[in-house]
Amino acid sequence: MEDINNTSNFIHDIIDSDIAEGRVPADEIHTRFPPEPNGYLHIGSAKAIWINKGTALKYGGKFNLRYDDTNPVREDDEYVRSIEEDLRWLGAEPDGGIYYGSDYFDKCYEYAIKLIREGKAYVCDLNSEEMREYRGTLTEPGKESPYRNRSVEENLDLFERMKNGEFPDGSHTLRAKIDMASPNMNMRDPAIYRIVHTAHHRQGTKWCIYPLYDYAHPIQDALEGISHSLCSIEFENHRPLYDWVVNNIGFEKKPHQYEFARLNLTHTVMSKRYLRELVETGLVDGWDDPRMPTLCGLRRRGYTPESIIEFVRRAGVAKAYSIVDIQLLEHCIREELNTKAQRRIAVLDPVKVTISNYPADKTEYFELPNNPSDPEAGTRKVPFTKELYIDRSDFSDNPPPKFFRLKPGGEVRLMGAYIVKYEDIIKDDEGNITEIICSADLETGNGNPVDGRKVKGTIHWVSSQYAIDAEAMLYDYLFTIENVFDIPEGKGYGDYLNPDSVKKLTNCKFEPALADAKPGEKFQFVRMGYFCADSRHPNTFNRIVTLKDSWEKGKK
């Protein structure tokens, strides 16, 4: 992952101040990425990873991966494996170590006992609905629980019985005793333990009480030596509770929490709950569907770690809400692949072309550059025969004005090969064009016409004899609405799913060099866009992005 020594943001300003004031030694900067293993990471996760890993890199510190697996209900080893795979794919090596929140359950329990003994926590019998009623509102203080003043002995006994499984789910909670009149509702005696009789993916059935995130997270940070707990802005109002836990447990080295704005992207959603719903209802082809904003989906589509990190870098780090145009992400992958991707010929909607004056038994080869902007990429030989395929859109028997492709009475250059002239067409009984007859100027294979005439149009082609059959998946935005936060009342995400978010083309004809394409290998299909060999299905190529860069044009 890119070292961001040459960049700065408000988080780095805070760290610089902390170092200057002696709060944190310069050689003890330590960050972490704490995903809950209840789904796959998405591009919003990439921003959090880049901020935390990049900050550690900048200050020569350490970076941890810590699974926030304190809720056993939806967590699974599948997600644990995918998270580490995505992290390493991005280049964010967790050099500080890999940890699990569940491995701190014993310490969390020990500290809960400490809080109870000090009169700072109590067992409450209110159910969830009653707790909401007692909590108050933004303008009215909450009411104290009738169980708030239980004795230390009674609380210790009840908490032990909670741990031993004597009570059903939801019947008791352990709450921190803070201030029911606090203007910050997170400080109104928040629950810090709840009863959940569900086996844990790592701990099995050892526990039936589980610490809540706001209690467990600062403990985990402190035990790992995290200096700066960097998280998204929705946790800003939780920071006083974070500090309360750290201070009241009495850690010598106290981590501090700082917040940044989440990454929001046009034409998509970042809600893991809704992404899971898309998967479970079959609206997409799994978590790695190339239309998904998940990192595995972007990887399968053909996005690179470098393009995603560059996108996150350009989107920037701030505290204010914003939504980033997805065209910036597309621009970043175009910019990279324009210099790196080898060119290949793919005819996605083929129509046959017969060269009337070319020998039927002849094959010759034309050398085409693998990448015109990179001479060191070399060339390849593309076979040329009497029968070819061109894209159906490159011919019109009733052309509009300024149509510079093949048409009656017209000539075009076959890319890298001969100039051909229209002669005739053959149609089927339904009037569809099945074959185009052309003649070639056989003196133009390596240059311009000897008579000096100008030919404006150039089209791509493949030999019908040597072409390979393949499929192309043309992906578009998952949602028709630009900002999913603008969905009107009474409507839902499902009302804005794009019916044209994927088109499958099954009769494509590709140049023979693509037969050796490896899963994940990326190409520019000349005049068609950037494509990636699918990792699941052989002879299938996913369109990453088109050639047109709307974002770049909009900036000029």
Side-chain angles (χ1 to χ4, degrees):
M1 181 175 283
E2 175 193 6
D3 186 333
I4 55 173
N5 279 317
N6 59 345
T7 67
S8 189
N9 54 59
F10 77 92
I11 291 173
H12 300 159
D13 293 341
I14 290 170
I15 295 175
D16 290 341
S17 176
D18 287 344
I19 293 172
E21 294 174 6
R23 193 189 72 78
V24 178
D27 59 352
E28 292 186 12
I29 302 303
H30 203 155
T31 63
R32 84 292 168 268
F33 174 61
E36 184 177 2
N38 64 348
Y40 283 69
L41 300 184
H42 52 62
I43 194 167
S45 312
K47 176 177 180 178
I49 293 167
W50 179 75
I51 288 173
N52 280 281
K53 176 64 177 180
T55 297
L57 281 171
K58 178 171 183 174
Y59 292 93
K62 293 181 179 180
F63 167 71
N64 291 3
L65 166 62
R66 183 203 311 135
Y67 294 100
D68 170 31
D69 59 346
T70 56
N71 181 0
V73 177
R74 283 196 173 272
E75 293 163 1
D76 193 278
D77 285 334
E78 172 192 352
Y79 304 130
V80 171
R81 292 190 296 270
S82 73
I83 287 169
E84 185 173 349
E85 179 183 0
D86 287 343
L87 205 71
R88 295 188 188 279
W89 178 71
L90 281 177
E93 185 71 24
D95 50 7
I98 299 176
Y99 303 90
Y100 294 83
S102 59
D103 289 345
Y104 301 106
F105 281 172
D106 286 304
K107 296 300 290 185
C108 288
Y109 182 78
E110 175 187 327
Y111 295 137
I113 296 294
K114 178 181 187 297
L115 292 176
I116 293 173
R117 290 188 186 281
E118 294 176 356
K120 297 175 181 177
Y122 62 96
V123 174
C124 182
D125 298 0
L126 296 177
N127 61 36
S128 58
E129 184 177 339
E130 291 169 334
M131 284 183 67
R132 280 193 295 272
E133 291 175 0
Y134 275 66
R135 196 179 185 202
T137 68
L138 292 174
T139 57
E140 297 178 356
K143 295 187 299 181
E144 291 186 357
S145 166
Y147 309 100
R148 195 175 196 264
N149 296 315
R150 276 174 163 154
S151 68
V152 169
E153 291 72 19
E154 186 179 4
N155 283 318
L156 289 172
D157 176 65
L158 287 169
F159 193 50
E160 175 73 14
R161 293 169 64 192
M162 286 170 61
K163 180 177 76 74
N164 293 338
E166 294 186 27
F167 304 119
D169 291 3
S171 60
H172 297 73
T173 57
L174 182 69
R175 298 175 65 177
K177 186 185 290 188
I178 307 179
D179 181 5
M180 290 303 295
S182 171
N184 185 333
M185 299 197 48
N186 294 300
M187 300 296 282
R188 295 181 184 178
D189 289 11
I192 59 176
Y193 261 94
R194 79 287 201 208
I195 302 170
V196 183
H197 287 275
T198 300
H200 190 275
H201 74 108
R202 280 176 63 83
Q203 303 292 336
T205 57
K206 177 181 177 180
W207 297 92
C208 63
I209 57 169
Y210 292 93
L212 277 83
Y213 179 85
D214 281 342
Y215 170 71
H217 188 69
I219 292 173
Q220 297 158 3
D221 282 348
L223 292 174
E224 290 175 17
I226 301 303
S227 62
H228 294 78
S229 185
L230 310 176
C231 59
S232 49
I233 197 69
E234 66 264 31
F235 291 101
E236 184 173 30
N237 287 337
H238 297 245
R239 193 199 313 161
L241 178 53
Y242 182 103
D243 292 340
W244 185 92
V245 172
V246 169
N247 292 330
N248 282 278
I249 288 175
F251 292 107
E252 181 180 351
K253 291 188 176 180
K254 302 181 189 302
H256 287 263
Q257 175 180 301
Y258 302 96
E259 307 84 18
F260 54 86
R262 296 181 66 177
L263 175 63
N264 296 297
L265 197 61
T266 58
H267 295 288
T268 192
V269 295
M270 298 295 183
S271 162
K272 264 196 289 190
R273 181 189 64 80
Y274 189 70
L275 294 177
R276 184 186 298 108
E277 185 178 324
L278 289 173
V279 172
E280 292 176 350
T281 57
L283 291 173
V284 295
D285 182 27
W287 285 97
D288 68 344
D289 187 299
R291 294 167 292 177
M292 293 276 274
T294 53
L295 294 181
C296 58
L298 291 166
R299 178 164 63 244
R300 183 178 169 197
R301 181 153 174 177
Y303 279 87
T304 63
E306 294 80 7
S307 65
I308 291 173
I309 294 302
E310 177 62 14
F311 163 72
V312 170
R313 186 190 68 79
R314 294 191 186 192
V317 181
K319 295 200 74 165
Y321 165 83
S322 65
I323 184 165
V324 183
D325 196 328
I326 196 172
Q327 292 180 355
L328 174 58
L329 174 62
E330 295 171 340
H331 170 76
C332 290
I333 189 65
R334 279 194 195 93
E335 193 173 57
E336 178 184 340
L337 294 183
N338 182 51
T339 59
K340 292 183 178 180
Q342 295 206 350
R343 274 50 170 174
R344 294 292 184 265
I345 303 174
V347 178
L348 303 186
D349 185 14
V351 61
K352 184 179 177 182
V353 173
T354 299
I355 309 300
S356 60
N357 61 333
Y358 196 86
D361 59 351
K362 181 179 179 181
T363 298
E364 66 179 311
Y365 292 85
F366 288 96
E367 285 204 9
L368 297 181
N370 286 323
N371 188 332
S373 63
D374 180 12
E376 294 185 3
T379 61
R380 67 194 189 283
K381 293 183 177 181
V382 180
F384 185 95
T385 55
K386 183 179 181 70
E387 294 182 347
L388 312 169
Y389 290 112
I390 66 170
D391 197 275
R392 193 171 294 274
S393 64
D394 282 335
F395 173 78
S396 176
D397 55 351
N398 184 25
K402 297 184 179 181
F403 185 82
F404 296 121
R405 288 164 281 175
L406 190 58
K407 58 188 176 182
E411 289 184 302
V412 293
R413 165 79 70 179
L414 297 178
M415 187 183 68
Y418 298 112
I419 292 172
V420 297
K421 184 176 182 179
Y422 170 88
E423 288 187 346
D424 199 3
I425 55 174
I426 299 173
K427 296 184 177 182
D428 60 19
D429 294 340
E430 298 178 353
N432 299 308
I433 298 171
T434 59
E435 186 175 353
I436 305 169
I437 312 298
C438 294
S439 60
D441 184 342
L442 299 176
E443 301 296 321
T444 59
N446 293 307
N448 294 318
V450 294
D451 61 6
R453 70 186 188 278
K454 302 294 184 182
V455 177
K456 291 186 177 181
T458 298
I459 62 176
H460 59 287
W461 54 274
V462 292
S463 161
S464 64
Q465 180 179 340
Y466 293 94
I468 63 169
D469 295 323
E471 295 180 347
M473 305 294 289
L474 306 185
Y475 292 105
D476 204 341
Y477 302 144
L478 192 55
F479 293 95
T480 55
I481 191 169
E482 182 174 284
N483 186 350
V484 295
F485 295 105
D486 289 340
I487 291 177
E489 188 176 350
K491 297 284 188 178
Y493 291 131
D495 295 304
Y496 295 93
L497 281 170
N498 182 6
D500 297 319
S501 61
V502 60
K503 294 180 181 178
K504 183 177 182 179
L505 305 181
T506 59
N507 188 37
C508 306
K509 306 293 182 180
F510 290 2
E511 70 167 273
L514 285 167
D516 299 325
K518 300 177 179 61
E521 193 170 2
K522 300 157 190 64
F523 304 93
Q524 184 194 109
F525 289 173
V526 292
R527 302 176 62 232
M528 293 287 104
Y530 294 99
F531 285 74
C532 173
D534 189 68
S535 56
R536 278 203 201 180
H537 307 296
N539 295 323
T540 299
F541 291 80
N542 302 323
R543 185 173 69 187
I544 310 169
V545 285
T546 60
L547 294 178
K548 183 180 179 181
D549 195 332
S550 301
W551 184 85
E552 183 64 27
K553 291 180 182 295
K555 295 298 176 183
K556 291 181 179 178

